[in-house]
Amino acid sequence: METIPLETHDLTVAYGKKPVLYGVDVQVPKGKLIGIIGPNGAGKSTLIKAIMGVIPLTSGWVKIFDKPFKANAKRVGYVPQRETVDWDFPVSVMDVVLMGRYGRLGWFSRPGKKDREIARQSLDKVGMLPFADRQISNLSGGQQQRVFLARALAQQSDLYLMDEPFVGVDAATEAAIIAIMKELKEQGKTILVVHHDLPTAKKYFDMLLLLNMRVVAFGPTSEVFTNELLQKTYGGRLTILSEVADAIRTQ
Amino acid sequence: MNIFQNIPPFDFHEVFVMPWTEFGDVFIWIFVMGFLVTAACGMLGSFIVWRQMALVGDAISHSVLPGIVVAFLLTQSRGTLPMFFGALVAGILTTTLIEFIHTKSRVKTDAALGIVFTTLFAIGVVLISMYGENVDLDTDCVLYGEIEYVSQDLTVSLFGLFDVPVQVARMGAVAFCVMLLIVFFYKQLLVSSFDPGLARSIGINPAIVHHGLMLLLSITVVSAFEAVGAILVIAMLIFPATTASMLSDRMPIILGLTVVISAISSLLGVHLALWLDVSTAGAMSVVVSTLFGLAWMFSPNRGLLVLAMRR
């Protein structure tokens, strides 16, 4: 039997005494493009960080392909939010993409010829190869996001966790990212994407995880993208509710 | 009153040639010591500055004072070893306390840093005033360093080839270790400085890298302060790294440049000190800050001049 890419059981996270995530139970199937949707402060980014052990769990467990995260870290690719890093940092585009190979290298070994070739291919895929030697601070928001995506591709993982990859990018980049995600899915990889735009969520994802501290619903987009469940996820937030209404009307 | 009256006339032969021909054996060690201190601090500084922790070095260098006073009171000796360990313990205590206050309260890192090092420094000052008569410690040395006396130190024989003053040999070993560790752990340092989230996800623990770096910083600052003092060591941590960062966009080149900048500032520093008859550590800091100013003005990529011309 094929192992499950990601399984969490009773995953709970609290900052101090304030709980952020409660009893998250999910079994993520292979080869799907999955959106994590919910209001601000719903714990979307926290969920991704908790899966990777960046934030300690208060209770519960996480399994990646049937093993603890540490044992299978190599099979997980991560795309953090763009603003979490200092884009003035003295590294080139190539250096950043090569970081995606670090997890596969030994303690003291350097990226070799093969790693550079993989990094170049990844950059080519996102259309950033001509920028390989540029310093990263000269890039636009969309270009920065493409570099991060190239780095994730260079990780050659089976499960991808992406935190808000569409924030502040141009339409061309958004289309390019989606095309690559679909290609990865075709190769049998699983992609979890933290997303906040409802109209596109319906269009992009096979499955949705509706999150607001707890899992409100998790299932195929056609089944869970309903007025009732979205209202339950977003609670009484009026502006978003009207957005939901708009989104549903346009479908 | 002419403020320039204190500047002695400049005589090229006296300032640049004589020290090497007449007092070469004294002069060379001052230069080498200055270079080693600046290079060790500079290489470490390259990571420290980009991790936005420049002032942690400041905090460590100040808490060195209580460390050595306590070490002196406990051992009643001015031996290098107790002083070194006293200072090192104080340095490690500083970074641990900053971290502890920051994580266990809502005090932010910069304020935690201010709380810790002023407290420790104050304890040092109080201890010196209390045991003033018994403490045979030279506060000037602690604050400003005594690089000029480096060649009067005992010497050790290095590979049976040269006799090297102990202080210089020790600083050399520290600088060498810093270089070696940066070369070996370059990957870990780079990824955890740039993107701690990614580092964590690929099994490199940024917290361990952070503590390792802090330990190395403590050792370096403590070894360096004897030469350049607790205050000027901060210049050596920050200036070579920021100057190099003005000139290059690539970490390996920045690291190499800090070594070149260290050699230049140490060499010009000792000559400047000789000409003006001032503190060598002070002169070196003036040179290294001037180099920063020049790099800021004339850097080919992001110098003020280039930016002004582009507009």
Side-chain angles (χ1 to χ4, degrees), chain B residues 5-54:
Chain B
Q5 69 189 6
N6 281 349
I7 298 181
F10 179 78
D11 177 343
F12 183 82
H13 183 76
E14 210 169 90
V15 172
F16 279 98
V17 182
M18 253 171 56
W20 297 102
T21 53
E22 308 280 313
F23 324 103
D25 49 340
V26 175
F27 203 69
I28 182 90
W29 294 123
I30 302 178
F31 162 69
V32 170
M33 187 66 180
F35 167 67
L36 291 173
V37 165
T38 320
C41 290
M43 286 185 285
L44 261 186
S46 305
F47 284 100
I48 304 282
V49 163
W50 279 105
R51 293 166 74 96
Q52 302 182 14
M53 299 190 323

Side-chain angles (χ1 to χ4, degrees), chain B residues 182-247:
Chain B
I182 287 179
V183 168
F184 277 136
F185 292 104
Y186 179 74
K187 214 170 52 187
Q188 286 84 347
L189 278 167
L190 191 71
V191 69
S192 66
S193 303
F194 173 65
D195 191 345
L198 178 81
R200 191 99 212 196
S201 79
I202 58 178
I204 295 168
N205 188 335
I208 292 176
V209 175
H210 173 81
H211 290 302
L213 200 59
M214 287 297 102
L215 179 66
L216 199 55
L217 182 63
S218 299
I219 293 174
T220 309
V221 167
V222 168
S223 316
F225 95 95
E226 214 174 342
V228 295
I231 297 175
L232 294 177
V233 69
I234 306 153
M236 307 311 182
L237 268 175
I238 297 178
F239 279 121
T242 46
T243 307
S245 299
M246 284 287 164
L247 300 174

Side-chain angles (χ1 to χ4, degrees), chain A residues 76-190:
Chain A
V76 183
Y78 175 47
V79 179
Q81 283 184 33
R82 205 154 40 83
E83 317 84 86
T84 56
V85 307
D86 175 7
W87 289 92
D88 280 332
F89 201 84
V91 284
S92 68
V93 166
M94 189 62 172
D95 292 334
V96 174
V97 178
L98 280 173
M99 283 179 197
R101 304 296 303 161
Y102 283 7
R104 289 171 183 268
L105 299 175
W107 264 60
F108 302 121
S109 51
R110 294 286 159 87
K113 224 177 189 169
K114 191 179 143 241
D115 299 303
R116 287 183 176 276
E117 189 46 44
I118 290 167
R120 249 191 296 276
Q121 285 167 8
S122 308
L123 275 172
D124 198 25
K125 245 185 187 150
V126 300
M128 288 293 288
L129 192 55
F131 296 83
D133 293 324
R134 284 273 193 101
Q135 205 270 329
I136 53 171
S137 62
N138 301 321
L139 305 177
S140 72
Q143 290 171 331
Q144 290 174 351
Q145 197 62 61
R146 285 168 189 242
V147 172
F148 263 11
L149 192 67
R151 186 177 72 180
L153 291 177
Q155 285 186 274
Q156 297 186 321
S157 312
D158 299 311
L159 169 69
Y160 284 98
L161 306 173
M162 305 191 183
D163 203 345
E164 301 267 22
F166 299 113
V167 166
V169 305
D170 50 288
T173 300
E174 183 153 345
I177 295 175
I178 270 297
I180 286 167
M181 284 177 178
K182 293 209 162 126
E183 199 186 317
L184 288 171
K185 188 182 76 174
E186 237 88 284
Q187 296 164 14
K189 315 211 163 180
T190 310

Side-chain angles (χ1 to χ4, degrees), chain B residues 121-205:
Chain B
F121 191 68
I123 291 173
V125 171
V126 169
L127 283 177
I128 285 195
S129 330
M130 272 171 76
Y131 299 98
E133 294 101 70
N134 313 332
V135 182
D136 183 20
L137 286 175
D138 184 355
T139 36
D140 277 0
C141 165
V142 174
L143 293 181
Y144 310 120
E146 285 186 330
I147 197 169
E148 292 84 356
Y149 300 109
V150 76
S151 63
Q152 292 175 14
D153 205 359
L154 292 170
T155 56
V156 287
S157 178
L158 216 58
F159 317 117
L161 291 174
F162 343 76
D163 286 332
V164 180
V166 174
Q167 265 193 56
V168 177
R170 196 171 58 223
M171 197 63 227
V174 169
F176 187 67
C177 283
V178 166
M179 193 184 75
L180 225 55
L181 286 168
I182 287 179
V183 168
F184 277 136
F185 292 104
Y186 179 74
K187 214 170 52 187
Q188 286 84 347
L189 278 167
L190 191 71
V191 69
S192 66
S193 303
F194 173 65
D195 191 345
L198 178 81
R200 191 99 212 196
S201 79
I202 58 178
I204 295 168
N205 188 335

Side-chain angles (χ1 to χ4, degrees), chain A residues 15 21 36 42-52 55 78 81 163-164 194 211:
Chain A
Y15 290 133
L21 282 173
I36 304 175
K44 305 187 293 282
S45 298
T46 307
L47 176 60
I48 282 193
K49 287 182 186 145
I51 290 170
M52 294 188 309
I55 297 173
Y78 175 47
Q81 283 184 33
D163 203 345
E164 301 267 22
V194 171
L211 191 73

